Amino acid sequence: MTSVELNKTTLPSVDDLQARAREALAAIFERPVDTELGEPGGPGVHASTPITGEALFTLVETTAQEARAAITAAAEAFTVWRTTPAPVRGALVARLGELLIEHKEDLACLVTIEAGKITSEALGEVQEMIDVCQFAVGLSRQLYGRTIASERPGHRLMETWHPLGVVGVITAFNFPVAVWAWNSAIALVCGDTVVWKPSELTPLTAMACQALLERAARDVDAPPALSHLLLGGRDIGEQLVDDPRVALVSATGSVRMGQQVGPRVAQRFGKVLLELGGNNAAIVTPSADLDLAVRGIVFAAAGTAGQRCTTLRRVIAHTSVADTLIERIAGAYRSLPVGDPSTDGTLVGPLIHETAYRDMVGALEQARADGGEITGGERVDVGGDAGAGAFYVNPAVVRMPSQTPIVHDETFAPILYVVTYETLEEAIALNNAVPQGLSSAIFTTDIREAERFMAADGSDCGIANVNIGTSGAEIGGAFGGEKQTGGGRESGSDSWKAYMRRATNTVNYSSELPLAQGVKFG
Ligand code: NAD
């Protein structure tokens, strides 16, 4: 890719970004945080920013011994928390939600600095945390099981739900705070305790979340050891994976990570909840409202610089609309402001690091070799020398002759492949032809096509939308996907059941002892 100068803006200085992060953290911790934030460059966990590609601070890394101690403390706290009434547990999460409202801007500022999200999306991510806290508070009074008709007279058959234990949460860089909240808010009202290993790329936001939860626990007199933070890389995550005291490992990240974590947790018969990569498609039919489709597609494909698990990566367009659609998407892409994500008006921030940029270049080279026609995708020179270590790109739209192997990969960058179809059966087959199964959409005004897409032989994804894009899910539904996406469900609906264990109870309140299935014994 050639480097071009577009939407040139001035990037903030590293001093400015450090000052912003310090200020946000101090507001959240209610004190200066100088002891926590070491000079950049020393040994430890490196907090850096994709805005300029520079290191900001060095933080103390959690040792293996400290990680073990955290799991021990969480296991001990569980013995108290599991018998604390669920609505009382809900009061902790209610307080956390209030603190998140109070510190929404502070936390969003840290998300922008560490993950490079534009301010509006960073605020949206914190709003998602607030929403899931409110959902979890309601849930704390609704953890109900069923009563089932018994086949025996004088008997009651029922199911009860009980807390599971310590939940190990492993999270990815691109949703540095919301995914922790999805897991923690629900796990805590379910009576579990939490040990969190965030992405090594977003340690500041993690410290901030942990501080808010500790404050909430103090405010409502909940045990302080309910929640722990482990700062470090994969090794520390592996301790959660292998420790038999961790009842559930909820891991969000790449398929590669899931392939390592899943079998290891299964080996010790632990429970696992996997939220892995996606390769999400939208079908655009001849009857689609193209204005709506273009808006939905551009947000889903270029938002968060293509770094959402639900990012739209493929458009499957009917041959009759493909040319117009590509032209309109490419036109919209040309007007998207790329640059400093903390500046008003920017819609596309940076890629997370150089490797992400190299992956994008490699994928585009392969697509071109496969016959793809590429529009966009150039590196954008933002801020001259100041931005030398930062990677800003124009989103790319690539018309492909077919879904070649590169289209089957999740390249975590803003590349939108477009392929064409003739029949709806063909379009659905293309939608389902990739190994991942997270999100999907159809743009149509034909109810038959919409229903067919959502039917048992339609989209095979965990999310199947009509006339909206693939990203931006609400917390009220269960979130997750099939196939290599891992099969987990988080957030709303009945996802809480993954954080609890179920007991079936049969109570005999008669003076007889009839056996099930009419069995006679003596
Ligand atoms: P990643 O897989 O590189 O890292 C994710 C987390 O896993 C990090 O905390 C990392 O330290 C940890 N990790 C990696 N290997 C591990 C191991 N063997 N044992 C224990 N922990 C390990 O992912 P990333 O680059 O941070 O995030 C991007 C990926 O995450 C994309 O594939 C994206 O689609 C996916 N993602 C999925 C969802 C979802 O809900 N399905 C949400 C967000 C991101």
Side-chain angles (χ1 to χ4, degrees):
M1 284 195 293
T2 53
S3 177
V4 295
E5 293 199 8
L6 284 176
N7 310 313
K8 192 162 177 156
T9 57
T10 310
L11 291 178
S13 69
V14 72
D15 291 348
D16 182 8
L17 290 167
Q18 282 173 326
R20 288 190 217 173
R22 256 203 197 92
E23 195 182 327
L25 284 165
I28 285 169
F29 278 76
E30 296 183 297
R31 61 169 172 78
V33 284
D34 297 333
T35 47
E36 281 87 352
L37 305 179
E39 288 300 311
V45 175
H46 302 287
S48 56
T49 178
I51 297 177
T52 61
E54 289 165 292
L56 298 175
F57 305 107
T58 303
L59 312 174
V60 177
E61 189 166 4
T62 308
T63 64
Q65 199 181 355
E66 285 165 345
R68 270 195 302 279
I71 297 171
T72 303
E76 281 169 14
F78 174 66
T79 62
V80 177
W81 196 237
R82 67 181 166 189
T83 51
T84 302
V88 177
R89 301 194 297 242
L92 167 65
V93 176
R95 182 67 191 130
L96 175 63
E98 287 168 1
L99 291 174
L100 287 168
I101 292 170
E102 203 178 303
H103 291 286
K104 185 171 174 181
E105 277 79 21
D106 297 321
L107 205 46
C109 165
L110 293 169
V111 171
T112 295
I113 290 174
E114 280 199 311
K117 283 194 184 185
I118 61 169
T119 302
S120 168
E121 288 185 289
L123 287 167
E125 184 172 348
V126 182
Q127 185 59 45
E128 207 169 320
M129 305 172 81
I130 296 163
D131 293 346
V132 83
C133 284
Q134 291 173 350
F135 176 88
V137 174
L139 183 66
S140 72
R141 291 185 182 269
Q142 298 174 74
L143 298 170
Y144 32 56
R146 320 161 186 257
T147 300
I148 300 154
S150 171
E151 66 187 49
R152 288 172 278 187
H155 282 58
R156 186 154 70 90
L157 186 57
M158 62 182 180
E159 286 178 346
T160 45
W161 290 87
H162 302 289
L164 205 53
V166 179
V167 175
V169 178
I170 296 172
T171 55
F173 82 84
N174 66 324
F175 272 92
V177 293
V179 173
W180 168 76
W182 292 356
N183 281 283
S184 298
I186 306 286
L188 288 169
V189 298
C190 287
D192 302 323
T193 56
V194 177
V195 184
W196 179 26
K197 210 300 279 175
S199 166
E200 44 277 63
L201 300 173
T202 54
L204 298 177
T205 51
M207 278 170 53
C209 292
Q210 176 67 14
L212 289 175
L213 183 52
E214 285 176 9
R215 226 167 106 188
R218 275 198 306 277
D219 291 351
V220 300
D221 284 330
L226 290 178
S227 163
H228 300 263
L229 174 64
L230 313 179
L231 287 186
R234 178 186 157 155
D235 294 355
I236 290 290
E238 283 173 348
Q239 279 189 255
L240 288 176
V241 169
D242 292 334
D243 195 312
R245 294 171 299 170
V246 178
L248 168 69
V249 176
S250 174
T252 301
S254 57
V255 170
R256 190 188 59 248
M257 178 275 283
Q259 282 165 336
Q260 292 160 359
V261 167
R264 280 170 75 156
V265 180
Q267 181 68 28
R268 63 173 176 84
F269 294 100
K271 289 186 197 261
V272 74
L273 195 170
L274 295 176
E275 297 283 356
L276 310 175
N279 191 346
N280 318 297
I283 297 171
V284 182
T285 71
S287 75
D289 174 341
L290 282 193
D291 290 341
L292 194 85
V294 169
R295 276 170 29 222
I297 287 169
V298 170
F299 170 67
T304 328
Q307 299 168 108
R308 287 191 185 210
C309 51
T310 50
T311 288
L312 182 65
R313 308 206 177 275
R314 298 177 291 140
V315 162
I316 301 165
H318 191 265
T319 43
S320 63
V321 296
D323 290 346
T324 314
L325 194 62
I326 291 171
E327 201 176 303
R328 291 189 59 181
I329 295 169
Y333 273 12
R334 276 193 288 277
S335 67
L336 287 178
V338 180
D340 173 10
S342 63
T343 300
D344 279 353
T346 298
L347 291 179
V348 181
L351 294 176
I352 189 69
H353 45 38
E354 184 170 359
T355 308
Y357 172 68
R358 301 273 158 233
D359 288 349
M360 179 168 176
V361 173
L364 287 177
E365 277 170 6
Q366 185 58 56
R368 187 178 286 113
D370 293 349
E373 296 163 30
I374 303 171
T375 309
E378 310 87 355
R379 184 168 178 192
V380 179
D381 177 3
V382 174
D385 288 348
F391 294 88
Y392 292 82
V393 292
N394 283 316
V397 55
V398 188
R399 185 173 191 142
M400 295 295 289
S402 63
Q403 286 195 160
T404 60
I406 191 65
V407 181
H408 287 220
D409 287 346
E410 181 201 46
T411 302
F412 219 55
I415 301 176
L416 180 63
Y417 300 108
V418 183
V419 292
T420 55
Y421 78 91
E422 292 288 349
T423 66
L424 187 60
E425 271 58 39
E426 197 190 331
I428 290 172
L430 286 166
N431 178 76
N432 296 348
V434 295
Q436 312 83 351
L438 180 52
S439 188
S440 59
I442 189 167
F443 286 90
T444 179
T445 53
D446 180 338
I447 193 168
R448 289 184 182 154
E449 289 182 330
E451 290 291 336
R452 173 74 177 76
F453 178 70
M454 291 183 290
D457 57 353
S459 166
D460 64 2
C461 296
I463 299 169
N465 293 335
V466 177
N467 290 331
I468 64 164
T470 51
S471 64
E474 298 175 23
I475 64 97
F479 180 90
E482 303 302 330
K483 303 192 291 187
Q484 286 190 4
T485 304
R489 290 297 185 277
E490 278 177 358
S491 196
S493 185
D494 64 351
S495 306
W496 59 271
K497 291 179 176 172
Y499 300 82
M500 301 197 85
R501 65 182 175 83
R502 179 197 328 232
T504 301
N505 313 115
T506 309
V507 180
N508 176 5
Y509 58 91
S510 75
S511 51
E512 305 299 317
L513 195 63
L515 300 180
Q517 295 88 41
V519 171
K520 301 279 181 242
F521 195 78

